[in-house]
Amino acid sequence: MSLRPEEWPEVPELTARVARVAAGRGVPPLAMWVRDGLGGLFADAEFAAAFGRRGRRGWSPGRLAMVTVLQMAENLTDRAAAQRVRFDLSWKYCLGLELEDVGFDASVLSEFRTRVVAHGLEERVLDLLLVALKEKGLVKAGGKQRTDSTHVLAAVRELNRLELANEVLRRNELSVAP
């Protein structure tokens, strides 16, 4: 995959118009909020070290980084994230895609992450995101971080259930063994 750095694209007029009508007057979907509030976070040039200059042109690494952030925020698989790029108006809006854009194959996300890690750029996405969030006053350095104990207890309870199920299976295997 080759890289010819591109500027973060403007949202095509038709995409913007249709996405805004679909979003209505309420709180916009996360992807639209990210685009409107933070703009184009990830410049292709930030990932230049991971991509060659020759070969077929691939999907923009800046856009793939944004897809990865949205994917993690919404806890999606690669296939589900690729489907969102293909069908979700708010994601097309965020990425500056035409309505007709069919996106990419889900395997592209895995290949992108592999390249980013191989070139030591895995923290770059987080660093760029944190800088943008700090500039907008959405996160502050320091302070206390609090955790809702309900989620922690639920996670522990789930682990305990898994351990019990695993132990039952192990004991059944021992009792059936010749």
Side-chain angles (χ1 to χ4, degrees), residues 71 78 105-116:
Q71 175 186 13
D78 287 353
D105 186 75
S107 64
V108 170
L109 287 170
S110 173
E111 293 168 11
F112 171 71
R113 287 191 304 269
T114 300
R115 281 178 178 263
V116 166

Side-chain angles (χ1 to χ4, degrees), residues 74-93:
E74 297 189 21
N75 196 26
L76 300 172
T77 64
D78 287 353
R79 186 169 310 285
Q83 288 287 78
R84 285 285 184 88
V85 171
R86 184 170 292 124
F87 295 111
D88 192 308
L89 286 172
S90 66
W91 283 46
K92 286 185 181 290
Y93 178 93

Side-chain angles (χ1 to χ4, degrees), residues 135-147:
E135 286 175 358
K136 296 288 184 180
L138 297 171
V139 294
K140 297 177 184 171
K144 292 184 180 181
Q145 181 174 347
R146 298 193 172 123
T147 303

Side-chain angles (χ1 to χ4, degrees), residues 52-162:
R53 300 240 180 255
R54 297 184 345 183
R56 68 179 170 82
R57 187 178 197 145
W59 239 67
S60 158
R63 284 178 170 170
L64 289 173
M66 180 63 79
V67 169
T68 302
V69 167
L70 293 171
Q71 175 186 13
M72 295 304 145
E74 297 189 21
N75 196 26
L76 300 172
T77 64
D78 287 353
R79 186 169 310 285
Q83 288 287 78
R84 285 285 184 88
V85 171
R86 184 170 292 124
F87 295 111
D88 192 308
L89 286 172
S90 66
W91 283 46
K92 286 185 181 290
Y93 178 93
C94 181
L95 299 168
L97 299 175
E98 297 286 346
L99 292 176
E100 305 87 25
D101 196 304
V102 295
F104 52 84
D105 186 75
S107 64
V108 170
L109 287 170
S110 173
E111 293 168 11
F112 171 71
R113 287 191 304 269
T114 300
R115 281 178 178 263
V116 166
V117 169
H119 289 85
L121 299 171
E122 59 272 14
E123 290 185 23
R124 191 71 193 129
V125 173
L126 181 60
D127 291 343
L128 291 167
L129 182 59
L130 285 175
V131 165
L133 292 172
K134 281 181 185 176
E135 286 175 358
K136 296 288 184 180
L138 297 171
V139 294
K140 297 177 184 171
K144 292 184 180 181
Q145 181 174 347
R146 298 193 172 123
T147 303
D148 181 2
S149 63
T150 307
H151 297 294
V152 174
L153 292 174
V156 169
R157 192 173 298 121
E158 189 172 325
L159 282 175
N160 286 339
R161 287 182 185 148
L162 286 172

